[in-house]
Amino acid sequence: MSDVLQQALALLKDVTPLDTDCGNVCDGRCCRPSADSVGMLLLPGEENLLSGEGFTITPADGGDLLTCNGNCRREMRPFACRVFPLFPYVGEDGLVRAVYDPRSFRLCPLTRNCAHVRLKPDFVRAVRKAGTLLMSDPACAAFLRAQSREIDELSRLLPFLENERPPIARRKLR
Ligand code: SF4
Ligand code: SF4
């Protein structure tokens, strides 16, 4: 595993979307096997870190797909779980921004209520910083770019998220 990947994972080690455990709101939906969750796509090289953790890793379109039994050692959770429900999106200008991942829409109440629930700025910033760091690794950069184009496609189906894209600039609940 590259140093860059290790550093990106470390940036996201302790940050969380909210001050409180958001799993209390939804009973940890993103960790429960469900029809809405097909698994987590791993970054290139990440599979080497996670072998021996009891995960199932299978090749899929776009990269290796990890599935779990709903439990993991927190310090070993994959990148996709660390940034959820955001994604380090690479724009056509090459800059990385943290955006709501439209693929989280069905699963995550934070995404569905993004107009009213403000995510913690340190979490949002860590997602962006981790993405910027990963852009220095050619394989990870290609992965982030490909995923960002997929997000572009899906965002066309969810224009409300397109309008709400910057999670850090959320207006407070009135
Ligand atoms: S589905 Fe969303 S709100 Fe629920 S635990 Fe996962 S990130 Fe938190
Ligand atoms: S790998 Fe861990 S954090 Fe990710 S969905 Fe499974 S139990 Fe949850």
Side-chain angles (χ1 to χ4, degrees):
M1 189 181 58
S2 74
D3 287 349
V4 165
L5 181 44
Q6 263 170 331
Q7 288 167 25
L9 290 167
L11 274 176
L12 296 156
K13 182 167 152 278
D14 297 322
V15 288
T16 51
L18 303 180
D19 277 324
T20 52
D21 181 356
C22 55
N24 292 336
V25 178
C26 68
D27 199 19
R29 268 196 87 179
C30 56
C31 289
R32 275 189 282 134
S34 78
D36 292 335
S37 172
V38 290
M40 283 67 72
L41 264 184
L42 298 179
L43 289 165
E46 198 178 6
E47 69 283 0
N48 298 326
L49 174 72
L50 299 172
S51 61
E53 290 296 319
F55 298 127
T56 301
I57 299 175
T58 47
D61 281 349
D64 286 326
L65 196 64
L66 177 146
T67 48
C68 68
N69 62 7
N71 283 295
C72 70
R73 290 198 292 147
R74 183 169 171 78
E75 67 274 20
M76 296 307 291
R77 70 199 193 286
F79 181 82
C81 301
R82 294 177 193 227
V83 299
F84 192 87
L86 302 183
F87 191 84
Y89 170 92
V90 188
E92 301 288 359
D93 54 7
L95 292 178
V96 177
R97 286 176 292 147
V99 303
Y100 286 96
D101 191 330
R103 294 166 292 193
S104 68
F105 184 81
R106 284 168 63 111
L107 201 58
C108 181
L110 297 180
T111 302
R112 286 197 303 280
N113 293 293
C114 65
H116 307 292
V117 179
R118 188 171 189 264
L119 303 186
K120 281 178 67 184
D122 65 337
F123 171 69
V124 179
R125 275 195 294 268
V127 172
R128 178 178 52 76
K129 275 189 191 167
T132 302
L133 200 54
L134 289 169
M135 289 302 284
S136 64
D137 177 283
C140 289
F143 175 89
L144 293 187
R145 282 205 183 89
Q147 291 297 303
S148 298
R149 300 296 73 78
E150 189 170 311
I151 286 175
D152 284 340
E153 285 295 310
L154 292 169
S155 295
R156 283 191 254 284
L157 303 173
L158 291 168
F160 118 86
L161 270 185
E162 181 79 15
N163 297 334
E164 294 289 346
R165 191 165 259 174
I168 208 161
R170 190 74 41 245
R171 269 193 308 236
K172 292 221 166 131
L173 181 63
R174 283 186 249 205

